[in-house]
Amino acid sequence: MSSTLFRTKRVEQSILDTEEPEHALRKSLSALDLTVFGVGVVIGTGIFVLTGTAAKNTAGPAVALSFVVAGVVCALAALCYAEFASTVPVAGSAYTFSYASLGEFPAWIIGWDLVLELALGTAVVAVGWSGYIHSLLDNAGWHLPEALSGRDGAHGFGFDILAAALVLVLTAILVLGMKLSARVTSVVVAIKVAVVLVVIVAGAFFIKGDNYKPFIPKAQSVEAGGNLKAPLIQLMFGWAPSNFGVMGIFTAASVVFFAFIGFDVVATAAEETRNPKRDVPRGILGSLVICTTLYVLVAVVVTGMQKYSSLSIDAPLADAFKATGHPWFAGLISFGAAIGLTTVCMILLLGQSRVFFAMSRDGLLPRFFSHVHPRFRTPYRPTILLGVVIAIVSGFTSLSELAELVNIGTLFAFIVVAIGVVILRNKRSDLPRSFRTPLVPALPIVSVLASLWLMLNLPAETWLRFAIWMAIGFAVYFFYGRTHSRLGLQQAAEAGQSAAPPSGNAS
């Protein structure tokens, strides 16, 4: 049984599968397109919301260092992703990489994990986008009926029509083709980066040095909320839950990590890139450098404009400008956030549909979803299915408490990819690698430890929810995926042929 669980799919076979006409995606993306995708998905909720939340509750002005910590963890993982993406330029990201190195069952686990991560990420961001649009509409004097304004309206019942509509529109764009998606993303990313730069430059004129004192506030004990809301590492070692201090920087890093969610989605588009071995590493690393720089600058500016203890939770940047007597910027920031979250939703949805497509092409999910559109050459069936499901979820379900589940899923994927790089180096040293992760195995090991450290700083209840989702995944694999695996069926057929007696009459 263990031999079937850890059977690996040869890299050559993975690449060969991408050439089958009914399963082949159109190659239309460049390094610039991938970099824009990366920036488009990373610059979103985090830069407009999480900065203030983490500064006020956990790290103080040192939240800038939290972004550096989260960025370093992502950079370590990015170097591993870049090698895999240049070696195995196939849709599916960490799922495909795991299939080639660790085996089928670990690949299934990571694919199942990515489906949850990207689905929840899309829904959470769609709801956030809806909130900004509602705010802009209210400022203009336009008000939607309570029943269509989200879960807080209509006395506990409501459907967030804006969040659902956004997901459906983006689903249609993704079905129509990757190049159209790239063009839409390029325009939107240009707008939101311009807004972020205006905020940084304008805010720099209102910085007061006293607001940075103390840069690392003294640690403060807090209630653990029945223990489950305390970071797991504190429960493991019996530490009293606390905020601020040096540990507060790492706790904040595990929270603001949500701001970096999605740069790995660039790897899911490897199969649709004209020169993936060169362009995918450039897109992954380039987008990460740009985004980390912008996050750190925004964190420095907002904590310098207003004392960290006075920052608002819902709209820290906008309210910081209001506090300095410049409310006009609040409208600009809300507009930039609404624009920015549009691309975040689209690229997360793109990544999820590609992972789903890759798993169905391998038979671990129904093969019905592995066919591409005859004209647009996009995986339209999983895109439509997931788009409709996420639209319904984002319309009806409150997902704010599940954002940390997205974090743990991504960090888990980082760990698997880092381990996979080491294994594939040893098993297939003959494979051509246009990009090589430096300092193997030292750097991947550090990447594993760094990701694990941030995971341990997440609440215990997040680990419990993650374990439940993984248990469901185990059941799906053993009841369906294992018996329908294309690789497994192929190996069984080959074994049957080799065991069959030779044809012809005996002499």
Side-chain angles (χ1 to χ4, degrees), residues 55 367 393 398 404 427:
R367 292 269 288 172
V393 170
S398 178
E404 288 170 337
K427 290 176 61 176

Side-chain angles (χ1 to χ4, degrees), residues 12 28 48 83 132 289 315 319-320 351 370 372 374-375 377 454 504:
E12 293 83 356
S28 60
F48 296 108
E83 173 168 330
Y132 277 106
V289 169
D319 290 345
S370 65
V372 299
R375 177 183 175 187
R377 312 305 300 174
L454 289 189

Side-chain angles (χ1 to χ4, degrees), residues 4-24:
T4 61
L5 293 180
F6 296 97
R7 56 194 174 202
T8 56
K9 184 176 181 180
R10 288 176 57 83
V11 173
E12 293 83 356
Q13 184 61 50
S14 295
I15 297 175
L16 195 62
D17 287 348
T18 68
E19 299 173 1
E20 297 176 352
E22 60 182 358
H23 305 298

Side-chain angles (χ1 to χ4, degrees), residues 47 51-52 55 60-65 67 195-209 211-212 215 293-308 311 316-321 324 329 333:
I47 204 164
T51 304
V63 69
L65 298 181
F67 277 110
V195 170
V196 171
L197 291 175
V198 168
V199 168
I200 292 172
V201 174
F205 289 97
F206 308 118
I207 291 177
K208 295 180 180 179
N211 289 333
Y212 293 127
F215 188 73
T293 302
L294 291 176
Y295 274 138
V296 172
L297 289 175
V298 167
V300 170
V301 167
V302 72
T303 54
M305 291 176 64
Q306 191 175 19
K307 192 70 174 177
Y308 74 90
L311 289 171
L317 283 181
D319 290 345
F321 275 102
T324 59
F329 284 98
I333 291 169

Side-chain angles (χ1 to χ4, degrees), residues 7 35 65 85 88 100 141 214 221 248 282 304 331 374 406 433 456 484 492:
R7 56 194 174 202
T35 302
L65 298 181
V88 194
S221 297
R282 291 181 179 180
V406 182
R433 292 170 169 83
L456 292 175
H484 290 78

Side-chain angles (χ1 to χ4, degrees), residues 359-402:
M359 295 175 74
S360 64
R361 188 164 58 185
D362 290 331
L364 301 182
L365 289 172
R367 292 269 288 172
F368 171 82
F369 296 105
S370 65
H371 295 271
V372 299
H373 194 281
R375 177 183 175 187
F376 304 122
R377 312 305 300 174
T378 55
Y380 68 106
R381 289 174 178 174
T383 301
I384 293 173
L385 170 69
L386 296 169
V388 171
V389 170
I390 295 172
I392 294 172
V393 170
S394 62
F396 279 119
T397 310
S398 178
L399 295 168
S400 58
E401 294 182 358
L402 297 181

Side-chain angles (χ1 to χ4, degrees), residues 198 202 318 321-322 325-334:
V198 168
F321 275 102
K322 289 180 181 178
H326 296 81
W328 179 84
F329 284 98
L332 176 65
I333 291 169
S334 295

